[in-house]
Amino acid sequence: QAKHSAAGYTLYSGNPDKEFSRRLALMGELRGAIAKNELRLYCQPKVDFESRHICGAEALVRWQHPRLGMLSTGEFIKLAEHGGLITPLTHWVLEAAFRQSYAWDEAGIRLPLSVNLSAHDLRDPRLIDRIRGLFATWGIRPELIQFELTESVLMQDPEGAVDMLTRLKALGVQLFVDDFGTGYSSLAYLQKLPVDSLKIDQSFVSDMLANEDSAIIVQSTIDLGHNLGLEVVAEGVETEAVWQRLASLGCDTAQGYFISKPIPADAFGEWEQQSAW
Ligand code: C2E
Ligand code: CA
Ligand code: CA
Ligand code: CA
């Protein structure tokens, strides 16, 4: 019996054999889900600490399964990565993000939207041309699209990552190192990466008030980022108290439930208009 969780329907059944066949079945369904348009784009706002205004949003995919309901994103992304489905999934998300960015532009909302890329995407020789094609098709300025890559993905192939990031940067987009603090990159390597921002992993942010080690990691990351000329984003900001502490440490941008949960992309404009941020 699979369980429901805050993050959605979890794929873990507790029984390894059952779990394997469940995953196999879901993998097959995911292939169809992309074609049948069961995927949804959600957007989560990012807020600037100084101005307290929304300064961007992150694109997060959701799978609305016809029988199982909303599936846990982290789990089906992993499934897609193992099952060779990340390329079509990334294509779907890119298409949806450009469409959304175009719609916002038409509505007078000028917010950059960041798209998550996986390890496999970094090795896809056709990714750059596809992104360039989307910019041309939708007539969107490069400042309005950004990309997030986790630190551990970058560390899987450090040299290949520098090469791919350099080519992404040449398109004029901004790049974020996601889940920073979990991937063990060196200072020397970080200096070589053509990125604009670090996103502090939410595990450190969420318990920085209760755990002094986490607080030290958060503070060091903010200082490190600033010393390298990078902006620093804190994700997983759930409370006013954490917001205040991050503000006093000089963090640049916040993302998390304190501001808003991810919102269906087509409802984001309305939320933005009504929000005090
Ligand atoms: P991520 O890129 O680190 O995204 C942040 C995750 O934290 C999101 O989970 C978001 O909903 C959640 N979150 C945001 N604020 C808070 C908060 O205050 N508290 C807590 N507890 N959680 C918060 P989500 O949407 O379930 O996505 C999970 C992961 O799946 C993402 O982690 C990302 O690695 C991956 N993912 C999501 N969408 C995509 C996508 O379109 N493409 C790829 N390649 N990966 C994606
Ligand atoms: Ca991310
Ligand atoms: Ca993250
Ligand atoms: Ca994130």
Side-chain angles (χ1 to χ4, degrees), residues 1-227:
Q1 188 63 46
K3 302 180 194 84
H4 284 279
S5 78
Y9 193 85
T10 127
L11 310 182
Y12 183 67
S13 63
N15 174 333
D17 291 339
K18 262 195 182 168
E19 195 196 335
F20 181 75
S21 51
R22 180 190 299 277
R23 278 170 194 240
L24 214 59
L26 273 168
M27 200 115 86
E29 290 187 60
L30 179 55
R31 208 180 293 273
I34 299 170
K36 284 184 297 192
N37 213 22
E38 287 167 19
L39 301 183
R40 297 283 175 267
L41 192 74
Y42 276 57
C43 298
Q44 189 179 35
K46 301 175 182 174
V47 168
D48 180 77
F49 273 102
E50 224 170 303
S51 71
R52 296 178 73 96
H53 288 326
I54 300 162
C55 59
E58 176 174 11
L60 295 159
V61 69
R62 295 287 179 267
W63 179 8
Q64 182 67 46
H65 190 282
R67 268 183 303 114
L68 301 175
M70 196 73 95
L71 295 178
S72 154
T73 298
E75 290 186 61
F76 83 77
I77 292 282
K78 251 181 256 154
L79 210 64
E81 278 165 349
H82 292 139
L85 287 174
I86 210 67
T87 302
L89 184 98
T90 298
H91 291 174
W92 187 92
V93 175
L94 280 170
E95 187 75 40
F98 273 83
R99 185 184 303 275
Q100 193 56 54
S101 180
Y102 179 83
W104 284 349
D105 205 49
E106 290 283 282
I109 301 170
R110 305 273 141 68
L111 287 178
L113 182 58
S114 65
V115 175
N116 290 284
L117 296 177
S118 289
H120 192 82
D121 297 319
L122 275 195
R123 294 189 295 268
D124 177 359
R126 284 174 305 188
L127 180 73
I128 300 287
D129 277 343
R130 179 171 293 268
I131 295 170
R132 195 182 286 119
L134 285 165
F135 274 118
T137 303
W138 292 97
I140 285 167
R141 284 177 292 114
E143 308 88 83
L144 293 181
I145 298 288
Q146 308 172 326
F147 294 99
E148 302 192 4
L149 298 118
T150 66
E151 187 188 20
S152 50
V153 158
L154 297 173
M155 291 311 289
Q156 278 176 29
D157 174 15
E159 279 175 31
V162 171
D163 180 58
M164 190 58 153
L165 263 50
T166 304
R167 296 199 288 146
L168 277 170
K169 274 306 292 179
L171 298 173
V173 299
Q174 292 215 12
L175 303 177
F176 294 79
V177 181
D178 205 352
D179 298 353
F180 189 79
T182 61
Y184 310 103
S185 54
S186 71
L187 190 54
Y189 177 62
L190 204 54
Q191 220 164 357
K192 266 196 266 177
L193 276 183
V195 296
D196 305 279
S197 306
L198 303 180
K199 290 186 87 169
I200 310 173
D201 190 65
Q202 58 185 43
S203 61
F204 306 117
V205 174
S206 61
D207 73 348
M208 66 182 287
L209 297 182
N211 180 333
E212 192 52 29
D213 288 344
S214 295
I216 289 169
I217 290 170
V218 169
Q219 164 145 45
S220 316
T221 305
I222 293 170
D223 295 343
L224 171 67
H226 287 169
N227 287 334

